[in-house]
Amino acid sequence: MVEISVPVEWREHIHPRRGGAAGPTAVPDEDAARSAREREREARPIAAEMAEHERTDPELGEAVRAWLDGEPDPVGAAAVAAVAVRYLGGVDAPSFLDAWVLDHGLAFAACAVTEASSVQPGPVPVRVEPGSVGVIRAVVHAYTGERPRGWRGEIRRIGDEDRRPTGRWIADDRVVKRLRTLLAAAPGDEYRDAVARVAAHRGDPQRRRTASYLLPTETRWTDESFADRARRQVLGQDHVLASMSTAAHVARADWMTVSPGLVGTLLDGPGADALPLFELSLRRRFRNDADETRPILVRALLEIPDERIFPVLLDGIGEKGGGAALLEAAGRYPALAVRALAPSADDGTTRGLRVAGLLRDLLYADPALAEPSLAALAPAPPVPVTGDLPAALTGRPSRGAKTRWADPARLPQIRTRDGDRALPEPATGRLLDLLAAGAPEVADVRRRCDRHSLAEFSWALFQRWYAYGAPTRHKWAMAQLGLIGDDTTVRRLSPLIRRWPGEGATARAAAALDVLAAIGSDVALTHLFELTRRGKYKGLKARAARKIDEIAAARGVTPEALADRAVPDFGLDDRGTLVLDYGPRRFTVTFDEQLVPLVAEPNGKIRKSAPKPGPKDDPALAPAAHALFTGLKKDLRTIAGQEIRRLETAMIVRRTWTPDDFRDLFVSHPLLGHITRRLVWITDDGAAFRVAEDRTYADVHDDPFVPAPGARIGIAHPVLLDDLDAWAELFTDYEILQPFEQLGRPVHRLTDAERGARVLTRTEGLVLPYGKAKGHSQGRWESVTADGEFAGGWLARRDPAGLYVVANLTPGLVHYMHGDGADQRIGALWAGPAPAAAPENAVPLGEVDPVTMSEAVHDLVRGAS
């Protein structure tokens, strides 16, 4: 059993137990004992009379008479004391304990206090009958002369009707805690005598609870106390908890009072087995006293050398002082921390980030603690340091307050560009100074050092900062990611950016967007675009969009053109494939119509994942190849759907590209080429074609096709294809699956009559469920006036020429409403230069772009079906 220490400042408050921590001291008080003896003498005639009452419990009556006759009977002593407390004024009830200890010894006192918790003088209170709400029944005795014999009633055992038992004064907390303290410090033979004698006085739930509290070493007694269900008890729940010694006892408790005395007592008793109760109390954050109780519970956890404390402390990481508590626990018990926290390290959550930084610190301090799963956090074998340093890294580091916390010895080595040497610690310290200042000299360091090791150093520095609570005075530790981070940094940071706003760290998420922009790679831009499309928080999405606009403006392109150029190639070769080299085995990675990576075996068999390395594979190449495929698959989960949706949108809004951009951005792109060949493309003069496997162009008859030099090329919407059926047949013959609905997309062409009309009647009367209509207003349609105000009475979508297709809604959408609302009936569908509640300045529908019109009708018809 692990040894647990009770904090020194708590020991004067604990409920001591034999063999446990030193608690408060207690000595009998002779003056108090003298007072108790005097009051008892006054009570003797009353007790003698009550002992003879016809309703007095015969056993109690006999015990009272024995005590009055001079026999050392603890039952009689308790009964007479109870009579004195109830019927004499100004009695100091706790003083009876001093008299019993001094006159008859500890064992007798323990028996008498145990009995006092069960003895009650006086008649049984009248029970209030059901239905007598608001009526208090009481028996009032009025006497004009001398009171009759027996008016005080009997001596009996406490019942459920006794709301204020007399024993609560004789065996109250002050008394039993002082007696327990005396028993804990008693010599062994005296303690054993007390156990043996008290065992004979445990006749009912009240006495069993008192006995188990006074002598907590008797675990079986505590078992029985938990089983008792008596409503009326002199001792409370805290005393039951203070009796606990085992995990089985703790499992029976479902709440506790949080105080240094009780928590310290549990540390001294059940010890580590009390953890579930501490955890339960910590989770009750709704408590009004949480700010006072949480530090007590956390302090207790820090005294328990057990792996189980770490998940509990990790759960409280967001509470005040939670991070510091976790760090302190890890510092006290590093080996336990490594074992307990390893599964949570770098799991993509903010908690995992903090854990990773903490564990890295522990592993650098003691590499022997490393486990196989933590290889990425453990220090790598050192390499010799270089003497050839950039000028910016020469000299002594400042080691000022801004960088003192970032100890180079606790961070990975930074290798030079050729990889066989590393920066010495003083040079690394100088680099920290440059990073903290955001100095331009960092660019020279990037050129002279290995980019991967720089990025790993950068991330480790960021982890360390986060593990220590991410103090804002050192926020440069995040900004430096943008100076020396890489695409791996982007992939690690993006999940955190999405989480931080929900954890009250919106400013941190915004700063991380600046990091992505500073890295500026295709992968970084891709993740920025992803945040604008799928971010959960509107503020974050808007900020990401502004960041993209800034980058696009700085590069002199539109945001759409920036997105075209921001698609990573993921290291694919010119054919858009990737070879996984396992040594004796080689596999080829290709992609399906959804850009899901697939693995082709040499025999042509297609697998959905890379095979696990086998015993015959190269021990270095195979794991690296498997990890490469795993990383690629993870990256494509982010980008594939985004790029497919982007191309579908490009088809709907009629985006076009020059022939050169079309070839560079799509046909020759290692990744996008896989879906480029699965679409039909069209020039601005209406000539449709596809891209063959050899990247040549062909028309619907499979004849070679060459776009005109000045042509613009876009994705063909089916409404523009006069030979749509022929294209569909060709793709079926070639078994070409498309990334989104193109050739099979429903087409809605206007009739000649509809082209000349100003209102489309075929959609009138369609009914959209509220959720569908609301979704349209937040998607390709809009419901906003020219002044930016929400207008729920219509949906509108803009065509490339600036005309709006408008659908009137009845009864209309509600701006702030969430969930279900009224179904929306489509009224007039019309087109004009601006949306409005009713057709205004309507134009003939034939003037609207046919793609926009087809998509508008398609959305309404599909939404109403």
Side-chain angles (χ1 to χ4, degrees):
M1 186 173 180
V2 295
E3 183 176 347
I4 296 174
S5 176
V6 178
V8 174
E9 64 271 26
W10 290 2
R11 293 181 184 178
E12 63 179 295
H13 304 292
I14 67 170
H15 304 253
R17 66 174 55 221
R18 184 165 190 79
T25 58
V27 293
D29 185 334
E30 180 59 54
D31 290 338
R34 187 178 304 109
S35 172
R37 296 182 192 112
E38 291 174 358
R39 302 320 301 271
E40 184 197 281
R41 279 194 291 272
E42 295 177 41
R44 279 174 168 261
I46 302 172
E49 177 184 328
M50 296 182 70
E52 302 303 325
H53 195 283
E54 61 182 5
R55 292 193 302 271
T56 290
D57 183 318
E59 178 189 351
L60 294 177
E62 184 178 348
V64 168
R65 288 188 289 272
W67 175 254
L68 296 177
D69 288 342
E71 296 181 23
D73 189 311
V75 181
V80 174
V83 168
V85 168
R86 177 153 190 182
Y87 295 107
L88 300 179
V91 174
D92 178 25
S95 65
F96 286 101
L97 172 64
D98 299 277
W100 293 335
V101 171
L102 290 172
D103 295 345
H104 302 284
L106 267 179
F108 178 92
C111 295
V113 169
T114 299
E115 290 290 345
S117 65
S118 173
V119 172
Q120 177 68 10
V124 177
V126 178
R127 182 187 295 272
V128 176
E129 298 297 333
S132 56
V133 178
V135 177
I136 300 176
R137 294 194 177 188
V139 177
V140 179
H141 299 277
Y143 300 96
T144 56
E146 183 178 347
R147 289 170 174 167
R149 180 178 177 82
W151 70 271
R152 294 184 181 89
E154 66 270 27
I155 302 175
R156 54 187 174 77
R157 295 292 180 184
I158 291 174
D160 287 345
E161 295 82 4
D162 291 304
R163 297 189 177 278
R164 297 175 65 81
T166 304
R168 67 198 296 261
W169 286 282
I170 303 172
D172 73 356
D173 180 71
R174 294 172 299 165
V175 174
V176 293
K177 188 172 183 179
R178 194 153 59 95
L179 178 54
R180 174 165 157 157
T181 301
L182 291 168
L183 288 166
D189 55 348
E190 193 171 352
Y191 186 85
R192 288 189 293 271
D193 181 44
V195 170
R197 293 173 63 180
V198 169
H201 292 271
R202 298 175 56 255
D204 55 28
Q206 290 80 12
R207 285 178 283 172
R208 284 194 288 271
R209 178 172 290 190
T210 302
S212 64
Y213 171 79
L214 293 175
L215 301 160
T217 55
E218 303 306 299
T219 58
R220 182 177 56 83
W221 294 2
T222 305
D223 294 340
E224 294 174 1
S225 290
F226 273 108
D228 287 330
R229 288 292 179 265
R231 289 171 50 198
R232 195 64 58 218
Q233 290 276 11
V234 167
L235 299 190
Q237 175 74 359
D238 284 3
H239 297 93
V240 175
L241 298 180
S243 307
M244 298 193 304
S245 301
T246 67
H249 292 161
V250 174
R252 302 288 294 272
D254 57 4
W255 68 275
M256 65 177 293
T257 302
V258 179
S259 65
L262 184 55
V263 174
T265 300
L266 293 175
L267 282 177
D268 191 39
D273 288 334
L275 261 171
L277 194 53
F278 295 161
E279 181 178 7
L280 182 66
S281 295
L282 275 170
R283 285 179 176 170
R284 289 178 173 168
R285 297 188 177 101
F286 59 84
R287 295 170 54 137
N288 293 332
D289 61 350
D291 288 344
E292 291 75 34
T293 59
R294 179 175 174 78
I296 297 171
L297 293 164
V298 169
R299 178 68 191 279
L301 294 180
L302 292 174
E303 300 297 336
I304 303 176
D306 191 294
E307 287 182 38
R308 292 175 294 169
I309 69 171
F310 289 98
V312 179
L313 292 172
L314 189 58
D315 284 343
I317 203 74
E319 303 291 335
K320 182 179 179 181
L326 183 62
L327 285 170
E328 183 175 348
R332 290 191 185 193
Y333 319 114
L336 298 178
V338 170
R339 285 201 301 271
L341 297 176
S344 301
D346 260 348
D347 60 0
T349 67
T350 54
R351 291 193 343 164
L353 174 65
R354 192 184 295 266
V355 167
L358 187 155
L359 293 184
R360 186 189 293 275
D361 217 34
L362 296 177
L363 298 180
Y364 272 72
D366 184 0
L369 296 174
E371 298 182 356
S373 64
L374 298 176
L377 299 175
V383 298
V385 299
T386 182
D388 181 18
L389 296 174
L393 299 186
T394 58
R396 297 179 59 183
S398 70
R399 304 305 292 158
K402 289 188 75 172
T403 59
R404 190 180 301 121
W405 60 272
D407 184 358
R410 298 291 181 94
L411 296 167
Q413 281 186 307
I414 299 173
R415 301 195 178 203
T416 56
R417 182 164 288 281
D418 56 12
D420 62 347
R421 290 288 187 273
L423 297 182
E425 281 191 17
T428 303
R430 286 288 300 144
L431 175 60
L432 291 170
D433 291 337
L434 297 177
L435 294 172
E441 292 87 347
V442 173
D444 186 38
V445 177
R446 282 202 309 269
R447 288 189 292 270
R448 301 280 296 274
C449 294
D450 173 65
R451 289 303 305 274
H452 176 71
S453 74
L454 263 178
E456 289 303 302
F457 171 88
S458 174
W459 189 254
L461 176 62
F462 172 65
Q463 284 177 329
R464 183 175 177 84
W465 171 71
Y466 205 82
Y468 280 83
T472 54
R473 65 183 181 277
H474 300 315
K475 61 185 178 182
W476 66 267
M478 175 181 282
Q480 59 83 27
L481 293 173
L483 298 176
I484 58 175
D486 63 3
D487 288 345
T488 301
T489 307
V490 172
R491 297 181 186 110
R492 289 166 167 169
L493 193 58
S494 290
L496 304 173
I497 294 174
R498 286 190 285 270
R499 290 176 181 271
W500 275 325
E503 298 174 1
T506 301
R508 188 175 299 148
L513 293 179
D514 294 337
V515 169
L516 298 189
I519 292 174
S521 65
D522 289 348
V523 171
L525 292 177
T526 297
H527 281 263
L528 272 175
F529 277 108
E530 176 71 2
L531 287 167
T532 67
R533 296 182 179 105
R534 296 178 59 189
K536 182 178 179 182
Y537 302 98
K538 290 183 179 180
L540 182 65
K541 291 172 67 174
R543 189 176 182 92
R546 289 196 298 271
K547 187 61 61 178
I548 288 171
D549 290 343
E550 292 172 9
I551 297 170
R555 298 187 183 186
V557 298
T558 64
E560 292 79 9
L562 182 66
D564 290 338
R565 289 159 174 77
V567 183
D569 61 21
F570 295 112
L572 304 178
D573 59 26
D574 291 342
R575 297 175 301 161
T577 60
L578 182 69
V579 175
L580 302 178
D581 187 357
Y582 280 51
R585 297 190 293 168
R586 293 167 71 87
F587 305 91
T588 302
V589 177
T590 186
F591 302 85
D592 68 7
E593 76 280 2
Q594 296 295 317
L595 291 182
V596 174
L598 303 172
V599 178
E601 297 183 355
N603 61 8
K605 181 181 177 181
I606 300 298
R607 306 169 55 104
K608 291 185 177 181
S609 59
K612 292 183 179 180
K616 296 181 180 180
D617 292 324
D618 186 285
L621 293 177
H626 187 271
L628 178 63
F629 179 83
T630 301
L632 176 65
K633 194 170 185 177
K634 183 177 181 180
D635 282 337
L636 284 169
R637 288 196 193 104
T638 297
I639 190 174
Q642 170 182 309
E643 290 304 312
I644 290 170
R645 288 189 298 273
R646 189 170 70 87
L647 292 181
E648 184 178 17
T649 300
M651 178 188 73
I652 292 169
V653 301
R654 306 283 299 272
R655 276 196 71 200
T656 59
W657 296 266
T658 66
D660 288 343
D661 280 349
F662 172 64
R663 177 166 291 277
D664 293 342
L665 298 174
F666 298 102
V667 179
S668 300
H669 193 282
L671 182 66
L672 293 187
H674 289 283
I675 52 178
T676 300
R677 295 189 291 271
R678 296 176 178 275
L679 297 169
V680 177
W681 299 81
I682 195 168
T683 63
D684 52 1
D685 58 5
F689 67 96
R690 71 181 183 91
V691 180
E693 288 291 329
D694 60 359
R695 296 181 178 172
T696 60
Y697 306 160
D699 63 16
V700 71
H701 304 296
D702 252 354
D703 294 328
F705 176 83
V706 178
R712 303 281 301 184
I713 298 172
I715 302 171
H717 190 283
V719 77
L720 303 176
L721 296 173
D722 294 332
D723 45 6
L724 176 59
D725 291 342
W727 277 112
E729 183 178 353
L730 178 66
F731 271 53
T732 299
D733 290 344
Y734 280 114
E735 297 182 347
I736 299 174
L737 300 177
Q738 297 198 285
F740 57 82
E741 199 175 38
Q742 185 193 28
L743 297 178
R745 197 180 197 87
V747 172
H748 299 271
R749 291 187 174 91
L750 298 179
T751 66
D752 290 340
E754 289 172 335
R755 288 177 59 80
R758 296 176 186 264
V759 175
L760 188 68
T761 58
R762 71 165 97 164
T763 58
E764 288 184 14
L766 292 176
V767 177
L768 299 177
Y770 185 87
K772 290 279 189 181
K774 188 75 170 179
H776 283 330
S777 74
Q778 298 168 342
R780 293 171 185 157
W781 298 72
E782 60 185 59
S783 190
V784 180
T785 67
D787 297 327
E789 298 294 328
F790 180 77
W794 44 261
L795 295 171
R797 60 189 301 157
R798 190 174 183 272
D799 81 350
L803 288 175
Y804 285 88
V805 178
V806 185
N808 296 119
L809 301 177
T810 302
L813 301 171
V814 180
H815 187 16
Y816 295 107
M817 181 172 181
H818 297 280
D820 294 335
D823 290 345
Q824 301 295 309
R825 184 179 184 276
I826 305 297
L829 184 73
W830 55 281
E840 292 182 6
N841 302 316
V843 301
L845 297 177
E847 295 183 17
V848 178
D849 171 61
V851 172
T852 303
M853 181 59 72
S854 179
E855 288 293 312
V857 175
H858 174 53
D859 283 351
L860 298 179
V861 170
R862 183 172 57 179
S865 60

